[in-house]
Amino acid sequence: MDKKLIKNLAIAVVDCGVNVKSGDEVYVLTSVHAVDLTREVVKRAYERGAKRVIGTLEVLRRDGMVTPDNLKQPKIFINKINFGGAKDGDKVICEVLSYPKGKAPDGKVIEVLGESGELECEELSIIRAFNLTTEFDEEVLKQADEVAAKEIVLGDRRDLRDKLIFTIDGEDTRDIDDGISLEKSGKNYVLGVHIADVSHYVLPRTALDNEAYARGTSVYFPDRVLPMLPKALSNGACSLNEGEDRYALSCVMTFDENGARKNYEVFKSVIRSRHKTTYPEIAAICAKDPHICRKYGDLTDTVYEMEKLCLLMEKRREKEGSVNLDVMDAHIYVDENGEIVIPPCERSISQRIIEQFMISANEAVAEFLTANKAPCLYRIHERPAPEKAENFYAFLRDLGINANADFEEISPGDFQKILKSAEDKPFYSVVNKVMLRTMQKARYAEVNVGHFGLASKCYCHFTSPIRRYPDLFVHRAVKCVLENKGDKLEKLKKTAAENAAHCSDRERVADEAERKVDDLYKLAYMYERLGETYDATISGVTQHGIYCELKNTVEGLIPLEDLPADRYEYIPEKFLLKGVRRSFRLGDTVRIEVVDCDLGRMKVLFMLR
């Protein structure tokens, strides 16, 4: 758009009496020439980005002001008649009514969330800020109840109810997507991955489907889950509960004695899980714990073989260049006494078994759809941007790691070699973190470009249709191929690009919300530990200070002004805050004291000791 057009557009908008601010969307009839721009050709002048604001109400003499949680937003004036029952200090959602010229925006309270500063209230405010839906409407719940009540009928499905199929999940898991089975055939391993057939219950363009698509994914918080599907399905008919018949899509793969896949088959099935086991229990079987081995006597031999196959798969993937990042991910939960628990992070053999088996099934199904020229929501992970890779390698050289690569054509194997060279070094965890920041974020796409991190040429998400909409799309495509329904495949193909973009966006929103709530719970956890001292690792370096991470993944900030007096230079490409007398680099170990928990900035504050 030329300068003259921009100037005339501005005049036309102002002439309409519209008070336009930065960030507003402006709509015009673009077919009209610039010289004809007048108030008549402005179709829709603007739509305010901030129609709702979440913040804390401060009652003044008569009226009030809402200070937004988002410090970039202006304070909102609330006339006393628009308090909506809110009291001084309440966290509220207010609707912006107008933007008077030269004054604070005018608004009214539309929901009172609770007393500002209380954990549940602050968590709810995050949920509202991300526009996450906490309830299902009556039509969706009714439809879920109706389809969940239908009896299991074998029909054209393969009957696997006599197979030794069982599930392995976290101790607090309620929605169980995947069951596994394993048999030996000579030297070969025959692995079955059996996934809940959600697509049997959630049909396209129904109220259930529309709601699942809108949510895109389940969202997991320490004290609750916002499920993609109602409980009648997520915890009931679609959950592979112990001893109950369930519809499934099965992917049965044969691996040789070296862990290489020889063939696979994908088909519809009916299964019955023999046991609902947990990660600690399966890890205990692998460790030959006598009590757990007696409890699951019919599983022990199978679990031992699963461990062997898992190790073969890991070894083979390592040869193929898979990047096995070792980054801690906290599992925060609230125990039966209402206490926040942040246990040490660990990745046991049982979790590795499930991880390897699910990756294998995801690859096989992606290959199946590709071979049949069917639409697929591929899970893609592009190679790192050259400039980021170059900065990463410069950082490695500063650490004393001699590594070189073609930044334009960097491979997963290049990154794997780096991890191997840093494996026994004190800065190993930091190398993992910086490598993760260097890599691109995985996303969904209708076109396959491979998965860099897994060194996989063809990959999708197939294994969690209860909690991820992309997996439901993949299931529908698989069944269309199996049932030879070309017309339905064409319909799916037309929606693939839109589905991929939407599901990637919903995943991003869920990740951000989960991270925010995790930070809130970490803040509440550390509030009870003010004054305590810990060893920490510098996990982030900025021009405003340094971030330090404890072994339980809690991260705290030491502001620049609280560091020892010095002249500091921030060198971002080296992850370094360089002083004359002392410098701070990513990965350095420091001793800290917990000094404050700043709810406004959602930060734990540390001080060097």
Side-chain angles (χ1 to χ4, degrees), residues 227-343:
M228 187 179 79
L229 298 170
K231 287 184 178 180
L233 294 177
S234 62
N235 300 150
C238 293
S239 188
L240 306 183
N241 299 332
E242 179 178 306
E244 297 180 8
D245 291 357
R246 289 290 183 264
Y247 289 129
L249 279 184
S250 294
C251 179
V252 176
M253 300 159 281
T254 301
F255 296 85
D256 65 20
E257 66 271 25
N258 297 313
R261 194 183 72 216
K262 298 176 67 175
N263 55 60
Y264 67 86
E265 184 182 10
V266 184
F267 55 89
K268 297 186 296 181
S269 62
V270 173
I271 69 168
R272 182 186 298 150
S273 172
R274 297 279 185 90
H275 296 286
K276 178 185 183 297
T277 71
T278 66
Y279 289 125
E281 287 175 328
I282 297 302
I285 291 175
C286 292
K288 295 183 169 55
D289 179 287
H291 172 70
I292 300 298
C293 286
R294 279 194 300 272
K295 179 180 178 181
Y296 295 111
D298 58 333
L299 295 185
T300 52
D301 289 343
T302 300
V303 170
Y304 297 149
E305 294 298 337
M306 286 180 170
E307 181 180 12
K308 291 177 186 176
L309 178 57
C310 169
L311 297 176
L312 290 171
M313 287 176 165
E314 287 181 338
K315 187 175 181 180
R316 187 166 189 84
R317 290 191 189 282
E318 185 178 317
K319 285 182 180 178
E320 293 169 353
S322 179
V323 183
N324 187 21
L325 285 172
D326 186 14
V327 178
M328 292 192 298
D329 188 17
H331 173 59
I332 307 169
Y333 66 93
V334 178
D335 66 16
E336 60 275 10
N337 299 316
E339 297 293 325
I340 300 171
V341 180
I342 309 180

Side-chain angles (χ1 to χ4, degrees), residues 318-495:
E318 185 178 317
K319 285 182 180 178
E320 293 169 353
S322 179
V323 183
N324 187 21
L325 285 172
D326 186 14
V327 178
M328 292 192 298
D329 188 17
H331 173 59
I332 307 169
Y333 66 93
V334 178
D335 66 16
E336 60 275 10
N337 299 316
E339 297 293 325
I340 300 171
V341 180
I342 309 180
C345 298
E346 59 179 27
R347 185 165 160 264
S348 68
I349 182 61
S350 53
Q351 290 165 312
R352 288 158 55 195
I353 287 171
I354 289 297
E355 181 180 283
Q356 290 299 324
F357 291 2
M358 297 304 121
I359 289 173
S360 298
N362 286 336
E363 286 179 325
V365 170
E367 291 174 22
F368 171 80
L369 291 176
T370 303
N372 284 280
K373 296 182 172 54
C376 180
L377 291 195
Y378 295 98
R379 182 65 169 177
I380 67 168
H381 187 215
E382 293 141 307
R383 73 172 78 243
E387 60 273 15
K388 280 197 168 186
E390 189 172 0
N391 288 339
F392 176 48
Y393 274 73
F395 167 71
L396 293 172
R397 285 192 289 274
D398 285 342
L399 289 178
I401 298 176
N402 187 20
N404 294 292
D406 180 353
F407 304 132
E408 296 288 341
E409 296 292 332
I410 199 159
S411 72
D414 293 326
F415 274 18
Q416 187 197 82
K417 289 175 186 175
I418 291 167
L419 291 176
K420 280 288 182 185
S421 63
E423 203 165 26
D424 298 323
K425 305 291 192 303
F427 47 69
Y428 175 67
S429 64
V430 174
V431 171
N432 272 265
K433 277 202 165 188
V434 180
M435 184 178 286
L436 180 64
R437 294 173 189 174
T438 301
M439 291 199 288
Q440 305 226 39
K441 182 170 174 54
R443 60 186 177 89
Y444 298 104
E446 74 282 7
V447 178
N448 178 35
V449 299
H451 195 292
F452 179 87
L454 294 173
S456 178
K457 294 179 180 178
C458 195
Y459 194 72
C460 74
H461 276 166
F462 161 73
T463 54
S464 294
I466 288 177
R467 62 185 181 89
R468 292 189 304 227
Y469 196 87
D471 305 52
L472 180 55
F473 181 101
V474 166
H475 277 227
R476 286 171 176 163
V478 167
K479 288 174 75 174
C480 283
V481 173
L482 295 176
E483 296 167 358
N484 197 26
K485 293 182 177 178
D487 56 333
K488 289 188 176 181
L489 278 176
E490 285 303 313
K491 289 180 180 179
L492 279 175
K493 193 175 293 185
K494 290 177 181 178
T495 65

Side-chain angles (χ1 to χ4, degrees), residues 217-236:
T217 179
S218 296
V219 189
Y220 294 86
F221 299 132
D223 66 330
R224 72 184 83 180
V225 178
L226 305 183
M228 187 179 79
L229 298 170
K231 287 184 178 180
L233 294 177
S234 62
N235 300 150

